[in-house]
């Protein structure tokens, strides 16, 4: 049946993906339609759990799979309900009927590949039989050939030019930078070459390139696909969007869908996603996520009590006057996670945090002023340093002066008596820190000058680094903190015990 343009006005709809509200952002993914039967996309949940979303385009039912190694980059469909997925770090074969992983290849294919394609027989060497696929990156000169019989790497070769849809003069004049999909009398185009750039999706007629539909994608556009009687488009970050954009009733024909229109598909998929998310929320309540916030000079966050909080891309501004420093006061949090966030330079007063996780560089707290800050429970990746190294010397000097003024205040700064984990303290005098002597010890600069501390065997403990920093700094002392949960827990504790036995660490 020939596709025809519909006369009725077209209104885009959101097709819900079963992505939790607290899913991390900024993880790019591909969205792929295989044979008009299933749609595949991916996202990240929790701290580093990759998920594959499988939408049955015939029934509108979602399934969610775990076990991926990275986000989805490309996929191919094979016989017997098999599909081969390319992710950041692996080739994964799945059974679409049972939604299980059947095989996986993680070695010798490289990382961060962007395409997966079949290799024709005329492009193979002698002896390469069966299904062979090529894995590579659009930015790399070489690609890897993988034999699917044993799911093993066959060889590496220099890749040829990648096929891409050519832009006609008419499409270019209409604003096309990429052709995303073509179907009989229509073409779906994007107005930017870069997927992550803000852009528009246009549905054009193939003859006169007149505009049928226009949809803005301010966060980027990865792909678009013809499904049933319309188009389905996906952004680059499903964790952020949490929806696909559906443009129903663009054409009159319905193909590959057993008669289900896109409107029907959206209704069924949204209901399916809601059920999955409701069941997940009962097992694991979602976190409260604050994103892209900036605590400006003169601003204060006060009198807050909350649980399961994530700060993502949140920062504190720099102040010109001490009384204008961003402040966090009378805040009590349980299970706090920082993602790509920095509170450098802020004032923290009467703050209690029970459970703190700081992946990556988020655990660096530089130039903070502390007043009665209490940490309890498990702490991961925290590094406290009173200096603030700004781009201009005047700002660094200003914060250094404020730190010296804080030293005249006898009030305690930090309570670690009930905290355990990976904690590093640099430059904060021990007299301001409440400690647990079973896990923490103090070494003075005077002790380093009068004892041969380098002769003490540290084993595998990294606490020796703190003594090396103390030896070359102007600090009066350093607080050593053993991590009882880490792989070197016994070495940390033995090292502290040896330092005390040699009179280097204070006996507490």
């Amino acid at each position: 049946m020939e596709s025809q343009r519909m006369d009725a006005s077209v209104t885009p709809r959101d097709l819900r993906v079963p992505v939790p509200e607290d899913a991390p952002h900024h993880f790019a993914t591909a969205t792929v339609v295989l044979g008009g039967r299933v749609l595949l996309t991916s996202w990240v949940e929790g701290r580093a759990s990759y998920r594959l979303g499988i939408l049955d385009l015939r029934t509108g039912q979602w399934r969610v799979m775990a076990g991926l190694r990275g986000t989805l980059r490309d996929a191919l469909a094979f016989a017997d309900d098999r599909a081969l997925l390319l992710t950041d770090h692996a080739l994964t074969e799945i059974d679409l009927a049972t939604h299980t992983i059947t095989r996986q290849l993680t070695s010798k294919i490289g990382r961060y590949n962007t395409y997966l394609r079949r290799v024709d027989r005329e492009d193979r060497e002698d002896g390469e039989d069966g299904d062979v696929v090529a894995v590579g990156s659009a930015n790399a000169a070489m690609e890897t050939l993988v034999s699917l019989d044993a799911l093993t790497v066959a060889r590496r070769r220099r890749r040829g030019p990648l096929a891409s849809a050519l832009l006609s003069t008419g499409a270019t004049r209409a604003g096309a930078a990429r052709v995303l999909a073509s179907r009989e009398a229509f073409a779906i185009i994007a107005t930017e070459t870069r997927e992550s750039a803000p852009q528009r999706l246009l549905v054009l007629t193939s003859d006169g390139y007149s505009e049928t539909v226009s949809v803005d994608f301010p966060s980027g556009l990865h792909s678009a696909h013809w499904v049933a009687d319309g188009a389905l488009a996906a952004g680059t970050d499903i964790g952020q969007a949490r929806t696909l954009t559906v443009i129903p009733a663009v054409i009159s024909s319905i193909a590959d869908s057993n008669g289900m229109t896109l409107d029907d598909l959206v209704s069924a998929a949204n209901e399916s996603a809601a059920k999955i998310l409701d069941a997940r929320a009962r097992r694991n309540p979602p976190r409260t996520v604050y994103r892209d916030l900036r605590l400006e000079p003169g601003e204060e966050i006060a009198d807050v009590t909350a649980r399961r909080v994530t700060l993502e891309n949140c920062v504190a501004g720099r102040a010109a006057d001490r009384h204008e420093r961003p402040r966090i006061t009378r805040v009590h949090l349980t299970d706090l996670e920082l993602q790509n966030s920095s509170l450098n330079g802020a004032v923290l007063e009467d703050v209690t945090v029970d459970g703190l996780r700081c992946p990556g560089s988020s655990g660096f707290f530089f130039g903070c002023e502390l007043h009665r800050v209490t940490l309890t429970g498990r702490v991961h990746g925290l590094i406290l340093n009173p200096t603030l190294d700004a781009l201009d010397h005047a700002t660094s000097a200003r914060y250094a002066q404020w730190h010296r003024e804080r030293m005249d205040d006898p009030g305690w700064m930090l309570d670690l008596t009930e905290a355990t984990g990976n904690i590093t303290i640099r430059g904060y005098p021990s007299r301001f820190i409440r400690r647990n002597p079973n896990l923490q010890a103090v070494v003075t600069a005077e002790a380093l000058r009068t004892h041969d501390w380098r002769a003490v065997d540290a084993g595998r403990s990294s606490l020796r680094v703190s003594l090396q920093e103390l030896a070359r700094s102007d600090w009066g002392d350093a607080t050593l903190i053993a991590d009882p949960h880490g792989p070197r827990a016994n070495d940390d504790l033995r090292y502290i015990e040896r330092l005390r036995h040699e009179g280097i660490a204070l006996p507490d």
Side-chain angles (χ1 to χ4, degrees):
M1 180 176 179
E2 184 178 356
S3 300
Q4 296 177 356
R5 181 175 175 175
M6 302 299 289
D7 295 330
S9 61
V10 175
T11 302
R13 295 186 61 187
D14 288 338
L15 188 154
R16 192 174 183 184
V17 182
V19 179
E21 293 182 9
D22 57 356
H25 294 182
H26 310 299
F27 286 88
T29 181
T31 298
V32 182
V33 171
L34 297 180
R37 294 180 51 198
V38 295
L39 175 143
L40 307 176
T41 191
S42 66
W43 61 89
V44 177
E45 293 184 11
R47 289 163 183 155
S49 300
Y50 297 96
R51 295 289 186 263
L52 177 70
I54 306 174
L55 176 63
D56 190 325
L57 298 176
R58 298 164 297 178
T59 64
Q61 298 303 300
W62 279 104
R63 291 296 185 95
V64 179
M65 283 183 54
L68 291 189
R69 298 284 297 272
T71 53
L72 182 67
R73 298 300 175 186
D74 203 352
L76 291 174
F78 290 90
D80 304 324
D81 283 325
R82 290 182 303 126
L84 189 65
L85 314 183
L86 175 66
T87 60
D88 291 325
H89 309 293
L91 266 179
T92 302
E93 183 187 77
I94 65 172
D95 187 324
L96 292 173
T98 61
H99 304 99
T100 57
I101 294 176
T102 53
R103 295 187 297 173
Q104 198 166 60
L105 175 64
T106 60
S107 62
K108 298 182 181 180
I109 62 171
R111 295 184 176 184
Y112 305 111
N113 293 301
T114 60
Y115 68 83
L116 171 67
R117 57 190 176 94
R118 290 179 171 87
V119 177
D120 297 331
R121 291 191 177 277
E122 55 267 23
D123 293 334
R124 306 178 191 177
E125 291 185 343
D126 294 338
E128 290 180 350
D129 297 322
D131 288 326
V132 178
V133 296
V135 176
S137 169
N139 298 321
M142 303 294 289
E143 63 183 9
T144 302
L145 299 191
V146 177
S147 171
L148 296 188
D149 291 341
L151 200 62
T152 57
V153 172
R155 60 185 172 93
R156 296 269 292 167
R157 73 175 184 183
R158 183 172 293 277
R159 69 166 177 83
L162 298 178
S164 59
L166 297 178
L167 293 174
S168 65
T169 302
T172 303
R173 289 174 179 171
R178 287 182 291 148
V179 175
L180 302 177
S182 297
R183 180 170 172 175
E184 299 174 356
F186 297 95
I188 307 174
I189 64 100
T191 58
E192 293 288 341
T193 303
R194 189 163 58 92
E195 295 178 356
S196 58
Q199 56 197 285
R200 302 175 70 192
L201 175 149
L202 302 177
V203 178
L204 306 176
T205 59
S206 298
D207 48 6
Y209 297 100
S210 60
E211 180 180 314
T212 303
V213 181
S214 173
V215 182
D216 289 328
F217 284 80
S219 298
L221 173 61
H222 171 264
S223 59
H225 311 272
W226 290 111
V227 176
D229 61 337
L232 187 151
T236 57
D237 187 350
I238 298 299
Q240 179 180 16
R242 297 172 46 225
T243 61
L244 303 171
T245 298
V246 165
I247 308 170
V250 177
I251 52 180
S252 59
S253 64
I254 300 175
D256 303 324
S257 63
N258 288 345
M260 177 177 280
T261 67
L262 264 183
D263 274 325
D264 293 336
L265 177 65
V266 170
S267 299
N270 288 351
E271 181 179 352
S272 175
K275 290 180 179 179
I276 292 173
L277 291 172
D278 289 345
R280 181 187 184 279
R282 288 193 293 269
R283 297 191 306 268
N284 186 23
R287 302 180 68 85
T288 300
V289 183
Y290 297 95
R291 294 186 172 95
D292 305 319
L293 300 179
R294 178 179 173 88
L295 191 59
E296 299 290 353
E299 290 187 343
E300 179 181 22
I301 297 176
D303 301 310
V304 175
T305 300
R307 300 176 60 88
R308 294 178 58 81
V309 175
T310 295
L311 301 182
E312 184 176 318
N313 298 318
C314 297
V315 297
R318 302 291 180 262
D321 297 307
R322 184 175 183 180
H323 72 277
E324 291 184 350
R325 296 176 71 174
R327 302 181 67 87
I328 302 174
T329 60
R330 299 183 301 280
V331 171
H332 307 282
L333 301 176
T334 301
D335 188 1
L336 172 64
E337 182 178 46
L338 304 182
Q339 292 278 0
N340 301 316
S341 294
S342 169
L343 299 178
N344 293 346
V347 176
L348 283 65
E349 183 173 351
D350 294 319
V351 173
T352 301
V353 178
D354 182 3
L356 173 64
R357 180 176 174 81
C358 311
S361 61
S362 295
F364 290 90
F365 281 64
F366 286 177
C368 290
E369 184 175 311
L370 309 179
H371 298 268
R372 299 177 299 279
V373 175
T374 301
L375 298 179
T376 62
R378 183 77 175 269
V379 179
H380 177 76
L382 177 64
I383 300 175
L384 293 173
N385 192 322
T387 63
L388 181 66
D389 295 327
L391 294 177
D392 61 296
H393 176 73
T395 300
S396 299
R398 187 163 60 246
Y399 276 80
Q401 175 60 31
W402 294 339
H403 175 66
R404 289 190 292 269
E405 293 171 2
R406 173 63 179 93
M407 296 298 99
D408 297 331
D409 183 345
W412 62 274
M413 296 183 179
L414 187 64
D415 188 333
L416 298 175
T417 55
E418 297 183 22
T420 62
N422 182 11
I423 307 170
T424 301
I425 309 294
R426 297 172 179 168
Y428 287 96
S430 63
R431 68 180 183 273
F432 295 106
I433 302 174
R434 296 179 174 181
R435 304 179 304 278
N436 177 358
N438 294 323
L439 297 177
Q440 302 150 15
V442 175
V443 177
T444 66
E446 178 63 24
L448 295 191
R449 289 191 290 268
T450 58
H451 293 78
D452 187 10
W453 60 274
R454 292 181 176 84
V456 179
D457 181 17
R460 298 183 305 153
S461 174
S462 60
L463 296 180
R464 180 193 288 271
V465 175
S466 295
L467 298 190
Q468 294 170 341
E469 293 176 338
L470 176 60
R472 59 175 179 260
S473 71
D474 58 355
W475 306 339
D477 57 35
T479 301
L480 307 185
I481 304 174
D483 180 4
H485 310 290
R488 303 179 179 87
N490 293 333
D491 294 84
D492 287 349
L493 294 171
R494 280 194 293 266
Y495 187 46
I496 287 177
E497 181 180 356
R498 289 166 183 163
L499 292 173
R500 284 177 174 156
H501 182 267
E502 296 296 330
I504 300 173
L506 298 180
D508 273 335

